[in-house]
Each structure stands twice: as C-alpha cells, then as structure tokens.
Amino acid sequence: MSLYSHFARQIDTQLASGGRLVLAFSGGVDSRVLLDLLSRYQRAHPEATCLAVHIHHGLSDNADKWARQCVKWGHQTGIDVTVEHIQLDLSSGESIEKAARDARYGALKQHVMANDALLTGQHLDDQLETFLLALKRGSGPKGLSSMAESMTFGDGTLCRPLLTVERSEIEDYAKQRGLEWLEDETNRDVRFDRNFLRHDITPRLKARWPSIHTAVSRSARLCASQERLLVELLEPKLAQLLDDQGGLNIKPLVTESKEQRSFLLRLWLQKQGATLPSELQLDVLWRQVALAQQDANPRLSLPDGQIRRFKGRLFYIAKSNDVSDWVNTWSTSERQLLPEGLGTLTIQNIEVLDSNSRMTLSRQSLPPSVEVVFDPQGLNAHPYGRIGSRKLKKLFQEYGVPSWLRQRTPILLAQRKVIAVAGLFVDRDFYGQDCELIWDK
C-alpha cells in the first residue's frame, strides 16, 4: 500500500462528520510529508476543510525564517498556515523539552474544535523512542503503552496517521516527491534524551535487531490493551467511591489490595486531569494524606495541582488563578460568565416549583443588577430557614464547603448585602418562589 493510500484510509477512519483537518506543521520532514499528503487528500475530497498551524517557540535564531518558509509551503499547496507565537515558562524546573511540548499542545488545542482532527507526524521510530523513555522512567503498562494512533484532544481528536510507518519510508516519500524540509539544529543535540536515543542508541538496536521497532510497537499495543481492560473492570468500582464533587471515599479503599487501590487512585487522578504520580508519590499520597491523623490538614503537591483530604475524602485541586479580587456587576436578566472556568450564573423563572430546590428567590426583592464576588471576608448572611445571621466564613464551615472552595464560590450582593451564595443558600430577605439561581458548573 502506498503512503498516500495508508494516510487516506487513516483519515477516512478518524475524521468525524463535519470536522476539519488541522495539521501541526513544524516544517520538519515528517510534518512536511503530512502537508503534501493532506494537500493530495484535499484535492481528492474538495469538501474537506484543511489548515495548518506552525508553532513559533522562539528558541532558535532561525525561528522567524522557519515560520515564513512554512507559510510559503502552505501557500504552494493550497493550505492556509497560521503561525502561533508562544512563550515558554522555564521557571517551573521542568525540562525545555517538556515545557515546549506542553506549550505547543496548549496552543494547538485552541485551533481544534468539536469533530476536528489534529494531525501530528509521529512515526514508528518515534514510538520506539517513546517506549524506551518510558522504560527509563520505570513506567508501568500505561506509560509503556506509548503513543496511541488516536485519542481525545480538547474538543476533537488527535490523530497520528503515520505511527505505523518507518522514518525511512517517510524520508523516501519526501525525496520521491522532491520536497524540501527544515532541519532544526537542536535535533542533533544529544544532551536531550530523545536525541540521544535517536542518534546513539536506536541505530545500534536496529542494526542488531532490524525489526525491534515493530516488536516494541506490538509490546506497546499489548500494554495499552491490558490498561484498557483494567480500566473497564475497575471503572464501575471507582464510580461507587466518588461523590458529586469528585471526592474519593477513603474508607472502602483501606480493605482493597495495594495493587487495586493504587490503580483506583491513578484512575481517579487521570479522570481529574492530573499528572499521574510516581510510585513514590502514590505511596506518600496514601500514607501521609489519606491515612493522616483526623485533625491534620494533609496535602500532596503535584506539578499541576494538589491532593487534599476533607471529611474522609480525597480531592484533587488543579492549579488556578486567585479570583478573590474579581468583582462584576451582573444584569440578572442575562447570563453571567464566571472567571477561571467556574461556569455560569443564570436567574430562571419557575414554572413548577421543585420541592428539592433551595436556591429560589423573590423576583420583586431581587434588584435588576447585582454584584458578583468571590471574597467572603467581612460579609454576613441569614440563610432562609435558619435562625440568626452569621459570618460567611462560619456558614461555609457549617455547610461543609472545603477551605479551597470558599473563595471560588460566587456570592451575589446588593449594596454589600448578601442575596445568595450560589449552590448553598438564599438570604431570607431575598427568598421567594418565582425564580431560581442556577450555577452551571
């Protein structure tokens, strides 16, 4: 089968109806070949919408020249190329490789809408390197699964249509088609682990065992299969351990085997979008956070968040910006978008009163515009149905709101008087039964 036929079959399999094809276009030989294949596919499928995105890292003196060249190649093939400039945050202590990768995918995600497919140029030799890097880190089956041919990415899908193709086949195609491509000088720098494997290790492995890359790819698929089976078997049990806020009940885990408990903890964190902990971190999580003394306030920090314990449950709190100073005037006839992905607020008229609803208000007592804040300091309220007023700090404690959510819960004010705290209560002076405050998280 020709490389184009292989590519077209992959795209036909992965592309959702109405979706676009978005190419991650570095200008290297792999993505340069993908651009050519994509151009051929677009000519054969005029209904397909294609675009390419070039990420300008600013790490090389040649970065501007590379960006111009990528735009030129896109123009020649009839595919628009968008250039995204990114700034790397190297203060976190992470490697340049990881920082660049995270920033690159973050920028690409902005271009992938529902049903879109992001195409990247990883191939069979890349899979071998990824497997060896996971082996160096001491990864388990999930890490050794290496790269999947497709996976969810943002609102769309990430596809690797060349993942079962050898690097030599891609280079042969480029030469046969007379394609030019960019050579990043850093790709020869063996101080970077992947380059060290590419130039010093994998050639020797392939010289000794010519089919090692296909054997490793098979091992990665088997690891991925085992991982999927474990997830399938244990997802129902995890669901039973979770509360409505994603908190993980600790008590039932105590009687589980260490192996099953560790997998459930990893699966829980994976579903929370957390960076998966190492074996040592997982042990610390269980012994020093889950099993800490009842009066302790334990926590475990991970690269993108922390794990806390509250009322016998574990919670993952992703890193976020402080919103305690955020203040906004809201016209209650409209929808209010909250900062930091905290959802939206709406006031809806009540057609039929639900006996379970507790966030109902009086339209007559509700001002046409209110303030929305997140800082409870200095505020008091008298929740409907309770005796006496209390400080919000005390009320948050009584309502069982974890400390890390007390400045991420929207508060409605009228002239500094509390109208309601979203999701918790309505003040007695504003309570009614003709409209309802909805916090859609």
Side-chain angles (χ1 to χ4, degrees):
M1 181 184 294
S2 70
L3 190 60
Y4 173 73
S5 298
H6 171 83
F7 172 83
R9 187 176 67 175
Q10 293 289 315
I11 298 305
D12 290 341
T13 301
Q14 299 295 339
L15 185 61
S17 176
R20 303 173 304 162
L21 293 166
V22 183
L23 172 62
F25 185 38
S26 68
V29 63
D30 308 324
S31 64
R32 181 68 182 91
V33 164
L34 276 180
L35 182 72
D36 186 77
L37 293 169
L38 188 59
S39 176
R40 293 175 64 181
Y41 185 88
Q42 188 178 47
R43 289 196 295 273
H45 302 80
E47 74 282 1
T49 301
C50 306
L51 66 148
V53 181
H54 175 81
I55 305 299
H56 186 303
H57 296 88
L59 293 175
S60 171
D61 293 338
N62 296 313
D64 290 337
K65 181 175 68 175
W66 292 341
R68 289 193 297 270
Q69 184 60 67
C70 285
V71 171
K72 180 180 178 181
W73 282 329
H75 180 74
Q76 291 171 351
T77 56
I79 294 176
D80 290 336
V81 177
T82 297
V83 178
E84 285 282 354
H85 291 74
I86 59 175
Q87 295 288 331
L88 300 187
D89 179 11
L90 302 179
S91 62
S92 64
E94 294 177 336
S95 67
I96 294 179
E97 294 167 283
K98 186 177 188 309
R101 182 173 63 252
D102 291 348
R104 181 165 62 250
Y105 278 113
L108 289 168
K109 192 171 289 186
Q110 299 174 28
H111 293 271
V112 180
M113 311 304 173
N115 297 326
D116 290 352
L118 174 68
L119 309 182
T120 61
Q122 291 94 350
H123 45 69
L124 197 55
D125 296 74
D126 290 325
Q127 186 77 306
L128 171 58
E129 295 162 10
T130 300
F131 187 92
L132 292 174
L133 287 169
L135 196 64
K136 186 264 294 185
R137 292 192 298 268
S139 299
K142 182 171 179 59
L144 294 174
S145 300
S146 302
M147 296 181 287
E149 286 190 81
S150 66
M151 59 184 287
T152 300
F153 183 79
D155 294 327
T157 305
L158 188 153
C159 301
R160 300 180 174 101
L162 304 181
L163 194 60
T164 59
V165 178
E166 292 185 51
R167 178 185 284 117
S168 59
E169 294 179 65
I170 295 170
E171 292 175 348
D172 287 345
Y173 176 93
K175 293 171 184 175
Q176 291 166 8
R177 297 279 294 176
L179 302 178
E180 297 178 324
W181 60 87
L182 302 175
E183 292 286 357
D184 187 340
E185 67 276 6
T186 62
N187 287 339
R188 306 297 304 182
D189 189 345
V190 294
R191 291 177 298 175
F192 298 117
D193 289 345
R194 189 174 286 274
N195 290 342
F196 169 68
L197 289 173
R198 180 173 302 166
H199 299 298
D200 291 4
I201 303 301
T202 55
R204 298 177 67 182
L205 292 175
K206 292 176 72 173
R208 177 73 180 230
W209 301 297
S211 62
I212 189 171
H213 50 306
T214 54
V216 163
S217 180
R218 183 168 59 251
S219 291
R221 287 197 304 273
L222 290 172
C223 286
S225 178
Q226 293 294 312
E227 182 73 13
R228 286 194 297 271
L229 176 60
L230 287 170
V231 170
E232 182 181 326
L233 292 173
L234 290 178
E235 263 188 334
K237 177 169 284 190
L238 177 64
Q240 295 174 357
L241 299 174
L242 297 178
D243 63 18
D244 294 340
Q245 287 74 45
L248 183 68
N249 193 354
I250 296 170
K251 188 175 180 180
L253 289 173
V254 175
T255 56
E256 299 289 358
S257 68
K258 180 180 179 182
E259 290 75 18
Q260 190 163 160
R261 181 172 63 238
S262 295
F263 192 89
L264 286 167
L265 287 168
R266 282 199 177 97
L267 183 58
W268 168 64
L269 286 170
Q270 179 184 334
K271 290 182 176 296
Q272 300 293 316
T275 298
L276 295 187
S278 66
E279 189 175 26
L280 176 61
Q281 287 175 319
L282 203 62
D283 184 58
V284 170
L285 164 60
W286 182 247
R287 290 188 300 102
Q288 298 184 19
V289 180
L291 300 184
Q293 295 293 324
Q294 289 303 309
D295 58 351
N297 186 23
R299 69 187 71 186
L300 173 68
S301 294
L302 296 174
D304 43 14
Q306 59 180 219
I307 301 166
R308 304 276 292 269
R309 189 187 67 186
F310 183 74
K311 292 192 173 180
R313 283 170 166 75
L314 294 174
F315 291 87
Y316 175 73
I317 303 99
K319 280 185 178 176
S320 59
N321 293 320
D322 181 17
V323 295
S324 60
D325 290 335
W326 190 87
V327 179
N328 193 65
T329 300
W330 172 33
S331 173
T332 55
S333 62
E334 300 175 356
R335 178 170 167 267
Q336 173 65 63
L337 179 65
L338 299 173
E340 287 292 295
L342 290 172
T344 60
L345 297 176
T346 52
I347 301 287
Q348 295 182 1
N349 291 332
I350 296 176
E351 303 296 335
V352 178
L353 186 64
D354 184 346
S355 60
N356 294 321
S357 179
R358 52 193 167 82
M359 298 303 300
T360 58
L361 303 103
S362 165
R363 180 70 74 176
Q364 183 177 356
S365 61
L366 186 67
S369 64
V370 301
E371 272 194 336
V372 182
V373 303
F374 288 92
D375 187 3
Q377 297 297 319
L379 296 175
N380 296 273
H382 186 159
Y384 175 78
R386 295 184 52 154
I387 298 173
S389 64
R390 286 175 172 79
K391 291 183 178 180
L392 280 195
K393 179 180 178 181
K394 182 66 175 176
L395 287 170
F396 276 133
Q397 293 173 349
E398 293 176 4
Y399 278 90
V401 179
S403 59
W404 57 88
L405 294 180
R406 293 173 190 171
Q407 290 188 325
R408 297 184 71 79
T409 300
I411 304 164
L412 275 61
L413 301 178
Q415 297 180 344
R416 295 301 293 171
K417 179 174 176 54
V418 173
I419 299 170
V421 177
L424 293 185
F425 63 81
V426 173
D427 188 271
R428 69 171 185 176
D429 291 342
F430 296 90
Y431 181 80
Q433 296 186 347
D434 52 12
C435 60
E436 183 176 10
L437 173 62
I438 306 293
W439 182 15
D440 187 357
K441 295 182 271 188

